[in-house]
Amino acid sequence: SKAVKRRGFAVPPLVMRKETTLPIVDWDAMDAHAPKDAKPAVLDEFWTAAAREWLNALRLALGKQYAIRESDRFLLLSPLEESRAKVTLDYVERTRKRILRVLDGVAKDSEIGKVCLLILADHDRYYQYVSNYYPPQGEFSISGGMFLQHGYGHFVFVADEMPVMEPTIAHELTHCMVQHLRLPAWVNEGTAVNTEHRLCKNYRPLYTPDEMHAKHVAFWNETTIQEFWSGKSWLRPDATTMLSYDLAQHFL
């Protein structure tokens, strides 16, 4: 494909990773093509242009029901009809501003391209995509959304009604906006959970405080608590992740 002209510089043809189930850019290879010694605004536009080209490649692979839409700081690829896509972009923009207020001095916007938000039609498409970021073997916990901090950091979600998606968006957007900090997993997750609960008033816990206390007492010991501190407990394919999230939010 031809290079794409943007504001006086060219975005070169995208370098794609090999053997992926859907088009994914080799962002490390693209670093060599970024403008040298450029101002932040120029770099932001370069990477935004590259991200647009990537989303277009994904759109072609996913099918004609998918479309790309854009707001001030986000690029959205989804099968949502235009009105629902606009509601989604409006929500992520509002949530971005709220996170900046709630985590004043901690959270900050990305300055190297607009944030990409992928909403996939169903769980099959979702796992087809996110499997490209997992190790080749192993068991992994189920999810309906995540922030992938690989190369060009981006979100991926399963399409659902907004009240269902809102807590996940708030949680994962928090991760995105503190990614410039070197945080231990438990601090990162505790910050995201507390911010999610503060911003999403429809949060309803699955268990009472007494029930959660009993679960914590039954599970944590000298061995399992080390998995919490190291971050491994969030990778387990069982209910342990729920206890890890709950413990992290109480430590912060």
Side-chain angles (χ1 to χ4, degrees):
S1 60
K2 296 181 180 179
V4 179
K5 289 287 186 178
R6 298 282 183 184
R7 288 194 179 179
F9 56 78
V11 176
L14 299 178
V15 180
M16 296 296 187
R17 285 174 48 190
K18 297 179 180 179
E19 299 180 355
T20 57
T21 60
L22 288 167
I24 298 176
V25 175
D26 183 341
W27 294 105
D28 289 338
M30 294 298 295
D31 281 339
H33 301 287
K36 304 301 181 186
D37 301 319
K39 295 180 180 179
V42 174
L43 284 172
D44 187 72
E45 183 60 26
F46 173 85
W47 289 114
T48 297
R52 288 192 191 100
E53 293 304 304
W54 168 49
L55 293 189
N56 192 52
L58 268 176
R59 179 186 64 82
L60 294 174
L62 289 168
K64 62 183 180 180
Q65 73 270 37
Y66 284 81
I68 300 169
R69 295 179 175 87
E70 191 166 347
S71 65
D72 181 39
R73 291 307 307 165
F74 293 90
L75 293 166
L76 170 65
L77 174 65
S78 80
L80 304 178
E81 61 186 28
E82 186 171 358
S83 60
R84 288 188 64 197
K86 184 179 185 305
V87 168
T88 303
L89 283 171
D90 288 346
Y91 178 77
V92 293
E93 288 287 2
R94 289 197 311 274
T95 303
R96 174 180 71 88
K97 294 173 182 176
R98 294 176 70 192
I99 291 172
L100 287 171
R101 290 195 298 269
V102 169
L103 298 178
D104 184 27
V106 176
K108 75 172 188 176
D109 280 320
S110 168
E111 297 177 345
I112 50 172
K114 293 189 178 185
V115 178
C116 292
L117 178 63
L118 314 183
I119 296 182
L120 301 175
D122 52 45
H123 280 86
D124 288 341
R125 279 296 199 189
Y126 174 81
Y127 285 112
Q128 180 190 16
Y129 180 78
V130 301
S131 65
N132 295 291
Y133 297 90
Y134 288 163
Q137 294 181 340
E139 293 183 79
F140 309 98
S141 59
I142 61 173
S143 69
M146 64 179 70
F147 174 63
L148 292 167
Q149 193 175 343
H150 297 269
Y152 196 103
H154 59 286
F155 302 101
V156 56
F157 300 101
V158 179
D160 211 325
E161 298 301 318
M162 278 306 296
V164 177
M165 292 178 61
E166 285 173 1
T168 306
I169 290 174
H171 183 104
E172 301 303 333
L173 186 53
T174 302
H175 283 315
C176 176
M177 298 181 74
V178 299
Q179 65 177 313
H180 60 286
L181 302 173
R182 291 183 175 273
L183 299 177
W186 68 272
V187 177
N188 199 339
E189 294 296 350
T191 301
V193 171
N194 283 328
T195 304
E196 168 197 338
H197 292 176
R198 181 166 179 178
L199 299 184
C200 300
K201 302 304 182 184
N202 59 348
Y203 167 72
R204 296 292 184 274
L206 293 175
Y207 301 98
T208 67
D210 287 344
E211 289 171 334
M212 283 302 297
H213 176 75
K215 290 180 180 293
H216 282 300
V217 170
F219 179 76
W220 298 112
N221 56 42
E222 291 183 1
T223 300
T224 55
I225 197 64
Q226 295 307 316
E227 294 186 3
F228 175 84
W229 297 126
S230 69
K232 292 181 179 179
S233 62
W234 275 275
L235 304 177
R236 294 173 57 134
D238 55 27
T240 303
T241 52
M242 174 190 67
L243 296 177
S244 298
Y245 284 120
D246 189 71
L247 190 62
Q249 77 170 102
H250 287 95
F251 276 159
L252 294 178

